[in-house]
Amino acid sequence: MAQSFPVPRTCPFAPPDDYGRLREEAPLVRTRLPGGDVWLVTRHAEAQQVLTDPRVSTDPMTPGHPMAAFSERPPTEEELRVRTRFQAGQFIDMDPPEHGVYRRMLIPEFTVRRIREMRPGIQETVDLLIDEMLKQGSSADLVEAFGLAVPSLVICRLLGVPYADHDFFQSRTRQLIGAGPGGSEDSFGAVTEIWDYLDGLIAEAERKPGDDLVGRLVTARRETGELSHDALVGMTFLLLVAGHETTANMIPLGVHTLLRDPAQLAALRADPDGWPAAVEELLRYHSIVDWVAFDRVATEDMEIGGQAVRAGEGMFVLGASANRDPRVFDRPDEFDIRRGARNHVAFGYGVHQCLGQNLARAELEIAYRTLFERIPGLRVVGEDDELPFKYDSVIFGLRALPVAW
Ligand code: HEM
């Protein structure tokens, strides 16, 4: 039994304290939330099993969904109204076969080949941001100047947001992310503004579809007649939200981790071919997206890791625990860029496995490599215990990272 949940992190380089103990206790451990009990899935094998089992649902409307257990009472009419306003197209919350209708439309946009074609654009964005940092002087907040800006500008390119609107887009995405766990007035305002903006972008493409992601979605929709206008708006919104905060947190966190480890950083400088493996290890090691992405509910009675799970029982897969499971990773608490950690679950597993993972890998690799190449004297200003790590946030990261060179 876990005493309380969620368990906050206390160390920037480790999952929450209790995870190791829970993982050794059992593959599934119960925890009590105000609205009922929920299973925590602690080990790698069972995490993969839950995330691939067709008898497991991710739909928040499925009875017993674990997110509902955080509250003692059912949501009010007003809360439901606000929630459903932005529900269209959010295929991350849908089960097959509906989920596949949406996902299939986007798969061609995220193939390895397509991402390879995007690399020069990502490189150009990263270079421009570094030019700007260098122009401003010899210090910066890496979160503000770089971490938040890279994914925001990359998504602008992907969605075909005109250059003139980049500032608007960047400032609103920043508001969206600046908010704490429960959101805020500001973040709700930002959601509305971004949604309305994307609504306009889709409407424009409906008048004149171009040869870009939004144009192709509009054309595909016309040909298949499958989705509504709002569904397309929601899909582009999901790309933005899913791809922004995650990448924005990984960039500064990875830079900080590598600066603390001069030997491994030197190895990467000497052999840049090592970057892809280093990116995988950073993703595994930090597991910034933990249980919050992996909210599931059993729709039939089943057995997982020898444990009976009844239909209607909720589960949270602890991704950060699975990624430190010694049954799969040798010396799991060590950061080792040579381990080739491709089987981590930092991008999830199964039908919902991160659609943007190839893009994320390209962004991280280009961002880290270029930053360390172009600013060889980069260093963090301040000690670890003075840095504003997001211990209280559902997606781990840094609120600011003062650097100098
Ligand atoms: C470091 C960066 C990233 C991390 C750690 C990450 C992590 C994840 C995880 C764990 C899931 C699975 C959620 C689940 O099982 O329900 C997911 C899904 C998803 N991600 Fe990412 N992600 C990242 C970047 C991106 C990017 C750059 C994009 C696109 C621009 C993106 C788009 C999506 C989408 C659309 C889904 C939903 C897929 C589906 O339900 O079929 N992600 N991501």
Side-chain angles (χ1 to χ4, degrees):
M1 183 82 161
Q3 296 312 316
S4 67
F5 191 78
V7 194
R9 295 189 193 220
T10 52
C11 166
F13 308 104
D17 282 344
D18 237 13
Y19 279 15
R21 180 183 68 75
L22 295 175
R23 194 171 50 233
E24 290 324 304
E25 194 178 306
L28 266 70
V29 176
R30 245 174 141 70
T31 189
R32 181 141 301 164
L33 294 179
D37 285 4
V38 166
W39 291 109
L40 304 179
V41 181
T42 63
R43 297 184 191 162
H44 191 273
E46 285 74 14
Q48 291 194 332
Q49 189 186 336
V50 170
L51 297 176
T52 45
D53 195 310
R55 296 167 299 174
V56 170
S57 165
T58 189
D59 183 345
M61 302 316 270
T62 306
H65 191 274
M67 283 298 186
F70 281 116
S71 169
E72 263 173 272
R73 54 162 183 82
T76 61
E77 294 265 307
E78 173 62 9
E79 281 162 352
L80 279 177
R81 193 187 58 74
V82 169
R83 222 185 280 166
T84 43
R85 158 99 165 81
F86 302 110
Q87 218 41 50
Q90 304 303 298
F91 59 94
I92 197 165
D93 285 339
M94 295 175 194
D95 293 327
E98 191 190 14
H99 164 260
V101 173
Y102 292 80
R103 179 152 173 140
R104 271 194 302 276
M105 274 200 183
L106 284 169
I107 285 176
E109 304 297 332
F110 292 94
T111 57
V112 173
R113 203 187 102 224
R114 190 55 67 71
I115 304 305
R116 206 180 305 128
E117 287 164 6
M118 280 186 218
R119 288 181 76 103
I122 301 173
Q123 184 70 57
E124 192 188 10
T125 300
V126 164
D127 274 321
L128 283 173
L129 289 168
I130 297 176
D131 288 346
E132 196 53 38
M133 275 169 59
L134 293 172
K135 219 178 343 161
Q136 297 292 325
S138 58
S139 64
D141 169 8
L142 201 75
V143 170
E144 180 70 24
F146 196 62
L148 286 165
V150 171
S152 178
L153 293 172
V154 168
I155 202 85
C156 278
R157 275 181 185 258
L158 186 72
L159 297 179
V161 170
Y163 190 77
D165 296 339
H166 281 193
D167 283 349
F168 162 84
F169 210 72
Q170 277 214 68
S171 72
R172 297 313 180 276
T173 48
R174 231 160 262 209
Q175 261 175 3
L176 193 70
I177 283 159
S184 68
E185 290 278 303
D186 255 13
S187 74
F188 184 67
V191 167
T192 311
E193 282 186 75
I194 296 169
W195 190 278
D196 291 345
Y197 182 86
L198 293 172
D199 187 88
L201 204 69
I202 302 280
E204 183 61 36
E206 279 162 349
R207 278 189 287 278
K208 205 165 153 263
D211 184 24
D212 53 18
L213 184 147
V214 169
R216 284 187 290 270
L217 276 183
V218 166
T219 309
R221 176 177 157 240
R222 276 202 189 128
E223 282 163 8
T224 60
E226 260 170 336
L227 301 177
S228 68
H229 167 92
D230 279 0
L232 294 195
V233 179
M235 285 163 84
T236 50
F237 187 79
L238 173 62
L239 291 181
L240 168 76
V241 173
H244 194 213
E245 181 157 12
T246 45
T247 317
N249 279 322
M250 269 313 291
I251 292 174
L253 211 50
V255 168
H256 177 249
T257 307
L258 288 163
L259 284 173
R260 290 176 86 240
D261 198 329
Q264 299 203 61
L265 181 55
L268 286 167
R269 284 189 159 127
D271 175 20
D273 288 347
W275 275 112
V279 167
E280 297 308 321
E281 176 63 350
L282 284 166
L283 287 159
R284 179 198 74 87
Y285 187 68
H286 286 295
S287 296
I288 57 163
V289 181
D290 189 10
W291 57 273
V292 71
F294 306 127
D295 45 348
R296 301 294 198 267
V297 54
T299 60
E300 289 177 29
D301 290 353
M302 55 199 294
E303 198 184 291
I304 303 163
Q307 173 64 55
V309 175
R310 305 257 164 258
E313 288 185 339
M315 293 174 263
F316 284 121
V317 173
L318 305 183
S321 174
N323 280 338
R324 299 279 180 120
D325 188 344
R327 291 160 195 78
V328 176
F329 303 102
D330 203 20
R331 302 163 287 109
D333 295 324
E334 261 175 53
F335 173 65
D336 178 359
I337 57 169
R338 283 153 316 195
R339 75 164 69 235
R342 282 292 279 214
N343 54 344
H344 62 71
V345 292
F347 287 127
Y349 197 67
V351 287
H352 289 282
Q353 192 177 39
C354 182
L355 177 70
Q357 59 186 289
N358 293 328
L359 177 59
R361 289 185 171 110
E363 286 184 63
L364 294 178
E365 189 201 314
I366 294 171
Y368 298 140
R369 183 180 38 72
T370 313
L371 195 68
F372 287 120
E373 256 168 35
R374 291 197 52 197
I375 316 187
L378 191 72
R379 61 188 156 81
V380 171
V381 180
E383 300 302 318
D384 283 354
D385 56 5
E386 298 160 356
L387 295 174
F389 288 99
K390 297 183 185 176
Y391 293 115
D392 56 345
S393 171
V394 290
I395 298 187
F396 190 64
L398 277 151
R399 292 208 157 76
L401 182 63
V403 291
W405 53 87

